């Protein structure tokens, strides 16, 4: 059974803290993505990666960075968390070819106080 | 810029048919996908159209017109379990790996 896992379901951090969100997939997918989901705004793309050590900015990269040192792992980093980064964070992966189906992790509900 | 437009809410009756439209504006378009998300759950893949025309998968069908930058998801024989949010998503960008989503359509089914 294909699987995308995220390090935490719920996370509470304080303003200014450095936050790491980890995502691991076991499908040998080339592409990995980080989205945030807020009510009424859908899923907004933060960053994506199409290969190890390769990354591209999405629509809302400000305040975030990413790391992909291994094919199966894609990390999202909030360098200095702020209250407006309180959100649901979803990781996804997909193969390079085919129907481009994305498989999503369960999400991390991050609250920044 | 890139954008996707879809209705925010749709209401339908159990057993009926409903169509959710999506218009998009993007560069380097490669295909249109649809996802379903139940409250508290993660999005799950429904369909992908790379070429013009209709794709049918059981009760769900998806249509794409590349010349009109338009697509729709058609749900037939609606069931209560179809109550969920539906998102269209486009595959685009120079690397053909970028996938961006619309803001979603909340479908409510009435008995």
């Amino acid at each position: 059974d294909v699987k995308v896992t995220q390090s935490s379901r719920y996370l509470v951090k304080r303003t200014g803290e450095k936050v790491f969100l980890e995502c691991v997939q076991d499908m040998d997918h080339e592409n990995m993505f980080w989205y945030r989901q807020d009510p009424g705004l859908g899923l907004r793309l933060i960053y994506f990666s199409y290969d190890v050590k390769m990354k591209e900015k999405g629509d809302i990269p400000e305040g975030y960075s990413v790391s992909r040192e291994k094919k199966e792992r894609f990390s999202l980093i909030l360098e200095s968390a702020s209250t407006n980064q309180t959100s649901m964070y979803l990781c996804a992966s997909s193969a390079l070819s085919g129907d481009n189906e994305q498989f999503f992790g369960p999400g991390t509900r991050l609250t920044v106080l | 810029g890139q954008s996707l437009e879809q209705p925010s809410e749709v209401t339908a009756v159990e057993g009926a048919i409903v169509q959710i439209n999506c218009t998009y504006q993007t560069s380097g378009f490669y295909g249109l996908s649809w996802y379903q998300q139940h409250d508290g759950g993660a999005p799950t893949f429904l369909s992908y159209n790379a070429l013009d025309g209709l794709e049918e998968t059981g009760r769900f069908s998806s249509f794409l017109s590349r010349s009109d930058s338009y697509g729709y998801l058609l749900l037939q024989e609606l069931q209560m379990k179809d109550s969920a949010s539906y998102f269209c998503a486009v595959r685009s960008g120079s690397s053909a790996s970028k996938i961006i989503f619309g803001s979603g359509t909340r479908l409510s089914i009435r008995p």
Side-chain angles (χ1 to χ4, degrees):
Chain A
D1 200 18
V2 297
K3 190 175 287 185
V4 178
T5 57
Q6 296 183 226
S7 50
S8 305
R9 289 302 304 270
Y10 299 93
L11 207 54
V12 180
K13 296 292 182 180
R14 296 204 176 274
T15 301
E17 281 192 82
K18 191 169 186 176
V19 182
F20 293 86
L21 302 183
E22 300 278 328
C23 175
V24 178
Q25 52 98 0
D26 65 359
M27 295 163 282
D28 200 36
H29 283 165
E30 293 83 3
N31 301 324
M32 295 189 75
F33 308 80
W34 276 107
Y35 295 90
R36 63 177 284 177
Q37 185 171 24
D38 302 286
L41 297 178
L43 284 77
R44 292 182 291 167
L45 181 62
I46 304 172
Y47 268 97
F48 68 101
S49 168
Y50 51 89
D51 201 352
V52 175
K53 298 190 186 294
M54 304 303 289
K55 60 187 179 184
E56 283 195 31
K57 294 179 180 179
D59 294 335
I60 53 164
E62 298 79 17
Y64 304 94
S65 62
V66 290
S67 173
R68 192 162 181 206
E69 296 296 318
K70 293 184 178 182
K71 190 175 185 179
E72 68 271 17
R73 189 179 299 269
F74 192 35
S75 302
L76 180 69
I77 303 145
L78 287 67
E79 296 291 340
S80 178
S82 63
T83 55
N84 62 13
Q85 293 179 308
T86 291
S87 186
M88 171 66 81
Y89 289 87
L90 289 163
C91 174
S93 71
S94 69
L96 195 59
S97 59
D99 63 10
N100 212 50
E101 176 178 358
Q102 282 183 304
F103 295 86
F104 282 84
T108 296
R109 171 73 65 185
L110 173 67
T111 301
V112 182
L113 301 175
Chain B
Q2 300 178 91
S3 66
L4 294 91
E5 297 288 334
Q6 55 181 125
S8 59
E9 292 184 41
V10 173
T11 301
V13 178
E14 191 175 14
I17 299 172
V18 72
Q19 178 174 312
I20 299 174
N21 299 319
C22 175
T23 57
Y24 60 87
Q25 182 178 352
T26 186
S27 58
F29 176 83
Y30 293 93
L32 182 71
S33 301
W34 288 92
Y35 287 78
Q36 178 191 62
Q37 185 180 32
H38 287 101
D39 287 346
T44 55
F45 175 83
L46 293 175
S47 66
Y48 177 68
N49 294 66
L51 303 175
D52 286 359
L54 191 68
E55 297 277 345
E56 297 181 66
T57 309
R59 294 187 296 115
F60 294 2
S61 303
S62 57
F63 172 83
L64 175 65
S65 168
R66 294 174 69 117
S67 60
D68 295 323
S69 298
Y70 164 76
Y72 65 72
L73 179 69
L74 190 73
L75 297 83
Q76 303 182 74
E77 301 172 21
L78 286 170
Q79 302 175 10
M80 297 303 291
K81 67 179 182 179
D82 297 330
S83 293
S85 292
Y86 292 84
F87 296 88
C88 58
V90 294
R91 180 184 175 190
S92 66
S94 57
S95 65
S97 293
K98 185 176 185 179
I99 301 175
I100 60 171
F101 283 72
S103 55
T105 299
R106 186 164 188 89
L107 174 62
S108 299
I109 311 294
R110 293 183 286 112

